[in-house]
Amino acid sequence: MKIIRTLYDMTEYRVGLRERNASVGFVPTMGALHEGHMSLVKQAVSENMVTVVSVFVNPIQFNNKDDFEKYPRTEEEDFKLLAAAGVDAVFAPDAREMYPEGNQNQKEYKLGKAAEVMEGLYRPGHFQGVARVLDILFRLVDPHRAYFGEKDFQQVAVVRNLVESEGLKVDIVACPIKRASDGLALSSRNSRLSKEQREKAPEIYQTLKYSVEYSKDHSVQATHDTVVEHLDAVPGMRVEYFQIVDARTLAPVEEWDESDWIVGCITVYLGDVRLIDNISYRLPY
Ligand code: PAF
């Protein structure tokens, strides 16, 4: 597996792939890889001639300095996992390489209404930061397909909008959430949970699952309230937001018959660790 650190070397590598006419799969990550990432990598390896993974903790998508500083960094283990999974190249630049001009002259991306709700409201600037890094990475790696996890449900919708508004030629492939055996959605941030917090964390998914049953004979509002009340009652846990939305537009729904695809998106704090998850209430298939 090739380890690439500079934009120049990545461009050269990509030119070589074009000469070979290779189909390229791309998995953008911030490292601290777990089985969730590795399921994206596995799919990319199986669907493309060449797989490139980026490992870059993108400073400009963190609106909280502390969260950025505490974000786990496990580069050596990450590279071992990626090599063993059959990845061809890993692109792992540093921040100066990615943003030589710092934060100046930032372009404002058109990300649509999907970027204005939930994470867009609670993490101002977050999606602009994600858009900027992905715009650079997509133009550099020029993949045929890019793989994203559905745990970040809103991110997938926003990335699709970015691709459309920038006219980028890449297929966005959304892959199902990977969970631990107790239901907790896999996340790099899980490694920051204390033993006690880790024991409480599965309550998030258990409550969401229960709420799907509950929703069958209760309103959207009652379903919302039962989730929030239940999780807020767990000591040390605080719901930041829970929104039941149309999965395509991410606009809030008030009635179950408003859409054939409805998803509940949640963000919960356990101490200072911020976890997100989601669940489908209605599916079009
Ligand atoms: O989902 C993530 O890990 C990040 O938001 C991404 C897509 C790698 C951009 O930094």
Side-chain angles (χ1 to χ4, degrees), residues 28-30 58 61 130 133-134 148 152 155:
T29 81
M30 298 204 297
N58 178 28
Q61 74 183 71
V130 171
V133 77
L134 288 179
F148 291 84
D152 298 292
Q155 174 168 273

Short mmCIF file of all heavy atoms in Angstrom, two decimals, residues 28-30 58 61 130 133-134 148 152 155, ligand 1:
data_model
loop_
_atom_site.label_atom_id
_atom_site.label_comp_id
_atom_site.label_asym_id
_atom_site.label_seq_id
_atom_site.Cartn_x
_atom_site.Cartn_y
_atom_site.Cartn_z
N PRO A 28 -13.25 8.59 2.14
CA PRO A 28 -12.66 9.67 2.94
C PRO A 28 -12.91 9.39 4.42
O PRO A 28 -14.03 9.05 4.81
CB PRO A 28 -13.44 10.92 2.50
CG PRO A 28 -14.68 10.43 1.86
CD PRO A 28 -14.52 8.98 1.51
N THR A 29 -11.86 9.51 5.25
CA THR A 29 -12.03 9.26 6.69
C THR A 29 -11.22 10.29 7.49
O THR A 29 -10.36 10.98 6.94
CB THR A 29 -11.53 7.86 7.12
OG1 THR A 29 -10.10 7.91 7.28
CG2 THR A 29 -11.89 6.78 6.12
N MET A 30 -11.50 10.31 8.78
CA MET A 30 -10.65 11.10 9.68
C MET A 30 -9.84 10.15 10.56
O MET A 30 -9.39 10.52 11.65
CB MET A 30 -11.52 12.04 10.52
CG MET A 30 -12.27 13.05 9.65
SD MET A 30 -12.74 14.55 10.50
CE MET A 30 -13.84 13.94 11.73
N ASN A 58 -9.92 16.80 9.79
CA ASN A 58 -10.12 18.08 9.10
C ASN A 58 -10.43 19.20 10.10
O ASN A 58 -11.56 19.29 10.58
CB ASN A 58 -11.28 17.89 8.12
CG ASN A 58 -11.62 19.16 7.37
OD1 ASN A 58 -10.75 20.01 7.16
ND2 ASN A 58 -12.89 19.28 6.98
N GLN A 61 -13.77 21.50 10.03
CA GLN A 61 -15.15 21.04 10.21
C GLN A 61 -15.52 20.91 11.69
O GLN A 61 -16.64 20.53 12.02
CB GLN A 61 -15.41 19.75 9.44
CG GLN A 61 -14.79 18.49 10.03
CD GLN A 61 -15.06 17.28 9.16
OE1 GLN A 61 -14.50 17.14 8.07
NE2 GLN A 61 -15.93 16.38 9.62
N VAL A 130 -16.78 20.44 5.90
CA VAL A 130 -16.83 19.12 5.25
C VAL A 130 -16.81 19.31 3.73
O VAL A 130 -16.08 18.62 3.01
CB VAL A 130 -18.11 18.34 5.68
CG1 VAL A 130 -18.27 17.07 4.85
CG2 VAL A 130 -18.07 18.01 7.17
N VAL A 133 -13.24 20.28 2.41
CA VAL A 133 -12.25 19.20 2.35
C VAL A 133 -12.63 18.20 1.27
O VAL A 133 -11.78 17.70 0.52
CB VAL A 133 -12.05 18.53 3.74
CG1 VAL A 133 -13.16 17.58 4.11
CG2 VAL A 133 -10.72 17.81 3.78
N LEU A 134 -13.94 17.92 1.13
CA LEU A 134 -14.34 16.93 0.12
C LEU A 134 -14.19 17.48 -1.29
O LEU A 134 -13.84 16.74 -2.22
CB LEU A 134 -15.79 16.47 0.36
CG LEU A 134 -15.97 15.57 1.60
CD1 LEU A 134 -17.44 15.19 1.76
CD2 LEU A 134 -15.11 14.30 1.52
N PHE A 148 -19.71 6.49 1.92
CA PHE A 148 -20.01 7.18 3.18
C PHE A 148 -20.93 6.31 4.02
O PHE A 148 -21.78 5.58 3.49
CB PHE A 148 -20.72 8.52 2.90
CG PHE A 148 -19.82 9.52 2.23
CD1 PHE A 148 -19.65 9.51 0.85
CD2 PHE A 148 -19.12 10.46 2.99
CE1 PHE A 148 -18.80 10.42 0.23
CE2 PHE A 148 -18.27 11.37 2.38
CZ PHE A 148 -18.11 11.35 1.00
N ASP A 152 -23.86 8.99 9.63
CA ASP A 152 -23.92 10.45 9.39
C ASP A 152 -24.94 10.69 8.28
O ASP A 152 -24.59 11.06 7.16
CB ASP A 152 -22.53 10.95 8.99
CG ASP A 152 -21.53 10.74 10.10
OD1 ASP A 152 -21.64 11.40 11.13
OD2 ASP A 152 -20.64 9.87 9.95
N GLN A 155 -24.99 14.04 6.66
CA GLN A 155 -23.78 14.29 5.87
C GLN A 155 -23.93 13.72 4.45
O GLN A 155 -23.54 14.36 3.46
CB GLN A 155 -22.56 13.69 6.56
CG GLN A 155 -21.28 13.78 5.74
CD GLN A 155 -20.03 13.45 6.52
OE1 GLN A 155 -19.45 14.32 7.15
NE2 GLN A 155 -19.60 12.20 6.48
O1 PAF B 1 -17.36 11.56 8.06
C1 PAF B 1 -16.18 11.94 8.24
O2 PAF B 1 -15.34 11.23 8.81
C2 PAF B 1 -15.76 13.32 7.73
O3 PAF B 1 -16.79 14.23 7.85
C3 PAF B 1 -15.22 13.29 6.29
C4 PAF B 1 -16.28 12.87 5.30
C5 PAF B 1 -14.03 12.33 6.20
C6 PAF B 1 -14.74 14.68 5.89
O4 PAF B 1 -13.69 15.12 6.72
#
